[in-house]
Amino acid sequence: MLELVTGIDKGVVRLPDIQRPFVWSNAKVRDLVDSMYRGYPVGELMFWVNKQAGHTRAIGQGVKTQDATMQVVDGQQRLTSLYAVVKGLEVWREDYSRERISLSFNPLTSRFEVPTPVFLRSAEWIPDITAVFKDPIRARREYLTRLRQDDNRTVDSDLEDEVELSIQRLAKLQEYAFQVVQIKEEVSRETVADIFVRINSEGAPLSAADFILTWLSVFWENGRNDLESWARNSRFTPSEVTQIFGEKTAWTPHNPYMSFDPGQILRVSVAVGLRRAKLADAYNFLRGRDPRSREIDASKRDAALAGLRSGHANALKPLHWDEFLKVLERAGFRSRDMITSKNTILYSYALWIIGRVDFGVPVDELREVMARWFFMSQLTGRYTNSPETRMQEDLNRLDGLPSGAAQFVKVLNQQIDAAVPDDWWRVTLIDGLTTSSGGAPAYVAYIAALNVLDADVLLSTSKVKDWIGPRPMVKGIERHHLFPRDYLISVLGLKDTKKINQVANYALVEWSDNIGISNRPPADYWPQEVAEKKIDEQRRIRQEEWHALPDGWTSLGYEEFLHQRRRLMANVIHEGFKRLTDPNYEPDLTRPDVAPTMEGLSMPTFEHLVTSGVIPVGTLLTPVDPDRRTVAEVTDDGSIRVGEHICETVDRAAKEDGADVESGWEYWQAHLDEQGEPVTLADLRHQAAAHQ
């Protein structure tokens, strides 16, 4: 190992650009060192004898004194990690932060661990094994000194010998003999790339994006470098890039919503340039491989690369990205906490580029239709399950369309209307609000709708949109229980945390005296809060409409309150969506004079079917599709257990089972009678609604 470390230090051993640039976790490095210490095999290394330094990356920092002659094809993670441990150097992590890999060692037990405060304080542990590799004699002396200072331990000659053997054994890891396979210099880069792909397909597999990045390293190195620069810079402002990396730049793709990895922005380039969402298909297309003969056609490869170059240029164009970010803000999404699917950003961005470049949709018109598209996609989880398949369907709809903005806008509007028809807002969306998850798409959409509607914070003159964002303008605003937690537990006797923390029981407020509210019922504390805030009555009523408070809500029972508020929250979301369709639209948030009771709802929720006894607790559910073998179970809180996961709605249960369906009601069937035929949840729901 010492010879390899020396070769890396001088620059003789380097990484070809086909390799992945980041190291393992500290725990995995610990396991590697432990295996080497015990003499276990740790796999062979593969080197390519090659002097093309322009296609390599040095391992570690500092000036390399010699040109590259050996390039690592397989074993980068092991070599980079060991080099960092032996030399005590920092490495770049996958998020482009810098960290020093260090391991602690106990010579008395021959045990390695990732350092923690406990190990660092203990006299039995060498805090950092780098000290042993640098000077084992000094490391032994300092370790024994600490042991002697421990009042609870006697250091005799036997113990000294034990420590000596353990530390010598650790220091000799630098003599560890790796099995090495060498690829001859005359082997082409394309062949070496193919070897790399095959190796990683058999071990810890690479993704299809990694395969394409490998291919780019061979055929378009600058393109891959662009993708990696974009991914890195998406985490930093221009000034931070200059400060950290020493590179001057006037712009970066840094944004409030997501940090990229190279494979993610590659998805956009491929979708735009090749009209492909499935990266595995795109990889074969880029290679020019004939699907029948499996032979490589260089002309097809060149044509595919030309298409990718075009998509790449548009995806990485600063103007396009900056304009697209306005789409997300227009849709009411203002921070990464509101993004439930990064794929929705990636694929929406690809469609935005296609609309702008290929169909010439004016920026203002495109922003409006894409804001609706993004809102719909986030709300329905369009790109959550089988995202590549769904995006490919969206791309296929654009194939063969006549040029012109009207055609593009028409296709997107048709898909939006199909995804969220009128009854979807009244039924499915209400089900989506039956959850305790603050990250549920329906609840996030509710917050987005408040931003679109320019809503106030409840009982405040501050705006919701000023509270949400990378640098909130308003502080002290939080989500609070409308029916206080202590009241639900101590007075109503509720014990189910999910029931207490239903999103329909939360409101965005600026209350500084939440502790004082304690276990007081809404009818007690609410009038006092209203009086103290001194909000104009007309404005307060408007706020109650924005925040979906049922008329007379303080006198409702908790269950009734939740059912009525979910209905009103769904209406707020719908009205916000309509505002995206027409910026001049005046939303109708008027609450009915007599709020409908739970029994008056047009379609009962799954939870209501369970609590009313229509579907007994413990009922087994199976997919209607006979080819699926899943058996789910109804829990006592009205949820569905799928494997180890508890799902609060039937749609979520279907998605947990890997189904790509619009409605879980049609997906599941209930086995109510061991002797009888199962009944779909949709049928049970309609039967219950008919008898209300």
Side-chain angles (χ1 to χ4, degrees):
M1 187 176 79
L2 180 59
E3 184 178 349
L4 287 172
V5 170
T6 302
I8 293 171
D9 214 26
K10 294 180 178 180
V12 174
V13 177
R14 300 194 185 189
L15 305 176
D17 276 342
I18 60 175
Q19 268 283 23
R20 289 170 285 183
F22 302 111
V23 299
W24 289 341
S25 67
N26 288 356
K28 200 162 186 178
V29 178
R30 174 202 62 200
D31 295 342
L32 172 64
V33 173
D34 182 72
S35 295
M36 294 171 62
Y37 181 84
R38 300 181 191 286
Y40 299 160
V42 294
E44 63 186 18
L45 304 176
M46 184 177 292
F47 295 118
W48 178 26
V49 180
N50 191 288
K51 299 180 180 180
Q52 298 179 30
H55 295 281
T56 65
R57 303 175 189 214
I59 304 175
Q61 305 299 313
V63 177
K64 304 304 178 182
T65 59
Q66 296 184 23
D67 293 334
T69 58
M70 303 285 285
Q71 297 183 21
V72 184
V73 175
D74 186 37
Q76 176 219 347
Q77 303 293 328
R78 283 166 286 168
L79 280 179
T80 305
S81 301
L82 290 172
Y83 178 71
V85 168
V86 171
K87 304 295 288 187
L89 301 176
E90 290 183 329
V91 295
W92 290 108
R93 288 298 190 188
E94 195 166 2
D95 62 356
Y96 295 93
S97 62
R98 295 190 68 172
E99 180 188 359
R100 183 163 171 260
I101 300 178
S102 59
L103 298 176
S104 297
F105 177 64
N106 187 329
L108 304 180
T109 61
S110 296
R111 177 182 162 197
F112 296 89
E113 284 294 347
V114 177
T116 67
V118 173
F119 299 138
L120 295 176
R121 290 193 301 266
S122 174
E124 292 186 358
W125 289 81
I126 295 176
D128 188 347
I129 63 174
T130 299
V132 175
F133 295 124
K134 288 184 176 180
D135 190 341
I137 296 176
R138 181 177 179 179
R140 170 186 173 277
R141 183 172 61 248
E142 291 178 349
Y143 177 73
L144 290 173
T145 299
R146 288 199 307 275
L147 279 184
R148 292 188 181 99
Q149 293 173 349
D150 185 350
D151 296 335
N152 298 320
R153 181 177 298 280
T154 299
V155 179
D156 55 21
S157 58
D158 290 339
L159 186 63
E160 289 184 1
D161 291 343
E162 181 181 350
V163 169
E164 174 73 23
L165 289 174
S166 293
I167 291 180
Q168 282 187 3
R169 185 177 178 183
L170 174 58
K172 287 185 177 180
L173 285 188
Q174 296 185 85
E175 301 173 10
Y176 187 92
F178 283 95
Q179 295 291 323
V180 176
V181 175
Q182 287 191 2
I183 301 174
K184 295 181 179 179
E185 185 173 7
E186 54 266 27
V187 176
S188 69
R189 287 179 56 78
E190 183 176 1
T191 301
V192 173
D194 192 47
I195 292 172
F196 176 73
V197 167
R198 291 178 183 234
I199 289 172
N200 284 278
S201 296
E202 296 172 359
L206 295 175
S207 67
D210 288 320
F211 291 159
I212 295 178
L213 291 171
T214 297
W215 185 89
L216 287 176
S217 296
V218 176
F219 293 100
W220 188 29
E221 187 175 344
N222 289 339
R224 171 168 179 163
N225 292 339
D226 290 342
L227 294 172
E228 293 189 346
S229 294
W230 174 288
R232 186 197 70 180
N233 292 349
S234 70
R235 293 163 167 79
F236 306 104
T237 63
S239 61
E240 289 172 335
V241 169
T242 301
Q243 179 182 357
I244 297 172
F245 302 103
E247 302 173 8
K248 291 186 178 181
T249 181
W251 179 90
T252 69
H254 185 255
N255 65 90
Y257 304 103
M258 68 176 289
S259 298
F260 286 85
D261 63 45
Q264 288 172 324
I265 190 61
L266 174 67
R267 283 192 178 277
V268 180
S269 301
V270 168
V272 174
L274 303 180
R275 290 294 197 274
R276 279 172 164 75
K278 295 184 177 181
L279 293 188
D281 292 346
Y283 175 59
N284 287 323
F285 184 65
L286 283 167
R287 298 182 70 194
R289 170 175 284 183
D290 186 284
R292 295 181 179 178
S293 68
R294 302 186 67 83
E295 295 295 324
I296 301 297
D297 186 327
S299 62
K300 290 182 178 179
R301 182 182 64 201
D302 294 342
L305 179 56
L308 181 61
R309 285 176 181 271
S310 175
H312 176 94
N314 283 306
L316 274 62
K317 189 174 182 178
L319 178 61
H320 287 167
W321 179 242
D322 288 343
E323 286 291 347
F324 174 73
L325 291 178
K326 297 176 184 177
V327 169
L328 275 60
E329 186 173 356
R330 173 74 180 99
F333 294 81
R334 298 177 61 84
S335 73
R336 68 180 58 213
D337 291 337
M338 298 183 69
I339 303 301
T340 58
S341 168
K342 291 182 178 180
N343 281 330
T344 303
I345 292 181
L346 300 176
Y347 290 142
S348 295
Y349 180 40
L351 291 173
W352 189 94
I353 295 172
I354 292 171
R356 185 77 186 100
V357 175
D358 294 348
F359 289 88
V361 184
V363 171
D364 292 342
E365 183 180 4
L366 184 60
R367 183 183 305 125
E368 297 304 303
V369 69
M370 288 306 305
R372 294 179 70 233
W373 181 271
F374 185 83
F375 193 103
M376 174 276 294
S377 299
Q378 274 280 123
L379 179 55
T380 62
R382 187 176 188 85
Y383 300 119
T384 300
N385 292 291
S386 303
E388 290 186 336
T389 299
R390 179 55 63 90
M391 180 57 178
Q392 191 61 60
E393 293 171 352
D394 292 334
L395 290 172
N396 291 344
R397 292 186 185 95
L398 300 175
D399 282 350
L401 281 182
S403 60
Q407 295 297 323
F408 179 85
V409 172
K410 179 181 178 181
V411 168
L412 263 62
N413 280 333
Q414 287 175 340
Q415 288 305 303
I416 292 171
D417 293 341
V420 287
D422 288 342
D423 61 347
W424 188 92
W425 301 95
R426 297 192 299 268
V427 180
T428 307
L429 180 54
I430 294 175
D431 286 344
L433 290 166
T434 307
T435 179
S436 60
S437 172
Y443 182 69
V444 172
Y446 169 69
I447 302 300
L450 292 178
N451 290 331
V452 172
L453 296 172
D454 199 29
D456 293 345
V457 173
L458 187 59
L459 296 187
S460 171
T461 57
S462 301
K463 296 292 185 182
V464 172
K465 66 182 181 182
D466 293 335
W467 169 69
I468 299 174
R471 296 178 180 83
M473 297 171 59
V474 179
K475 298 184 182 298
I477 297 174
E478 300 176 358
R479 290 191 314 163
H480 284 279
H481 295 83
L482 289 168
F483 274 66
R485 178 184 178 87
D486 288 347
Y487 170 72
L488 293 174
I489 295 174
S490 62
V491 178
L492 297 188
L494 285 184
K495 298 180 180 179
D496 187 348
T497 302
K498 290 196 299 183
K499 180 69 68 176
I500 293 169
N501 293 334
Q502 285 291 296
V503 295
N505 191 31
Y506 280 116
L508 302 178
V509 298
E510 200 173 6
W511 297 340
S512 58
D513 52 355
N514 191 49
I515 296 177
I517 293 174
S518 186
N519 62 354
R520 297 160 61 193
D524 187 0
Y525 79 78
W526 179 251
Q528 179 182 337
E529 290 291 332
V530 171
E532 290 179 355
K533 300 304 181 185
K534 298 179 181 180
I535 301 292
D536 174 80
E537 182 178 5
Q538 187 173 2
R539 184 171 189 172
R540 176 182 59 79
I541 293 174
R542 189 62 170 164
Q543 290 180 355
E544 291 179 355
E545 292 174 344
W546 278 323
H547 291 272
L549 298 183
D551 192 29
W553 70 276
T554 59
S555 62
L556 295 175
Y558 184 55
E559 289 290 341
E560 186 66 26
F561 163 76
L562 291 178
H563 280 278
Q564 292 193 26
R565 188 162 188 250
R566 287 176 189 133
R567 174 180 173 275
L568 293 175
M569 290 172 72
N571 185 55
V572 170
I573 298 170
H574 195 185
E575 291 298 303
F577 185 72
K578 292 177 181 177
R579 187 71 171 269
L580 291 177
T581 305
D582 179 5
N584 298 317
Y585 174 77
E586 289 297 329
D588 181 10
L589 301 177
T590 305
R591 297 168 293 178
D593 293 335
V594 178
T597 63
M598 179 176 65
E599 290 74 16
L601 291 173
S602 57
M603 296 295 284
T605 64
F606 183 78
E607 179 186 21
H608 179 52
L609 294 180
V610 176
T611 57
S612 63
V614 175
I615 302 177
V617 172
T619 297
L620 299 182
L621 307 177
T622 59
V624 174
D625 184 348
D627 292 333
R628 290 183 175 267
R629 304 293 184 180
T630 305
V631 178
E633 182 181 3
V634 178
T635 65
D636 55 7
D637 63 351
S639 300
I640 301 174
R641 184 189 303 277
V642 182
E644 298 180 354
H645 299 275
I646 301 297
C647 305
E648 296 176 332
T649 67
V650 294
D651 290 344
R652 193 166 295 118
K655 291 180 179 179
E656 183 62 42
D657 197 36
D660 184 17
V661 295
E662 295 294 336
S663 172
W665 293 95
E666 299 287 352
Y667 180 79
W668 295 106
Q669 57 187 358
H671 297 261
L672 301 176
D673 185 345
E674 292 184 2
Q675 305 301 323
E677 293 293 325
V679 184
T680 67
L681 296 187
D683 288 343
L684 290 172
R685 189 187 206 192
H686 284 95
Q687 293 170 13
H691 288 86
Q692 288 183 358

